[in-house]
């Protein structure tokens, strides 16, 4: 559904909860792209990598279930659109 609305929205839908829920900083690689860039600190240990994998897995599972993540993302988009009017 998101791909039909605009290419690249799925990656945005993943990036937002990674930051909001898990405090993991990532970035969509560019406009209309489905590539997510990781922005790790200079020094990463095994615990950090495990925390990222767990967070990413949780967000991707939620995204593929088509549940609350999509609706949360939609509400965020609407709020931002209204605020920027």
């Amino acid at each position: 559904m998101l791909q039909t609305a605009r290419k690249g929205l799925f990656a945005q839908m993943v990036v937002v909860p990674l930051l909001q829920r898990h405090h993991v900083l990532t970035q969509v690689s560019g406009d209309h792209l489905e590539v997510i860039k990781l922005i790790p600190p200079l020094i990463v240990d095994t615990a950090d990598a495990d925390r990222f994998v767990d967070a990413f897995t949780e967000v991707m599972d939620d995204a593929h279930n088509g549940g609350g993540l999509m609706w949360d993302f939609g509400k965020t988009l609407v709020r931002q659109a209204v605020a920027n009017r």
Side-chain angles (χ1 to χ4, degrees), residues 9-85:
L9 279 183
F10 182 79
Q12 282 292 339
M13 186 179 72
V14 171
V15 166
V16 170
L18 279 173
L19 181 60
Q20 291 176 343
R21 294 181 187 176
H22 302 283
H23 308 287
V24 174
L25 183 59
T26 56
Q27 185 178 35
V28 175
S29 214
D31 198 26
H32 299 284
L33 294 175
E34 296 293 350
V35 177
I36 297 172
K37 296 189 287 188
L38 303 180
I39 308 170
L42 184 58
I43 300 172
V44 178
D45 60 18
T46 303
D48 294 328
D50 290 342
R51 189 173 78 81
F52 169 76
V53 169
D54 291 343
F56 187 76
T57 300
E58 179 189 310
V59 170
M60 291 303 290
D61 287 347
D62 196 5
H64 285 290
N65 289 335
L69 181 61
M70 189 179 309
W71 295 113
D72 290 344
F73 183 65
K75 286 188 277 185
T76 299
L77 288 177
V78 169
R79 264 183 272 156
Q80 288 175 352
V82 169
N84 292 329
R85 286 178 67 161

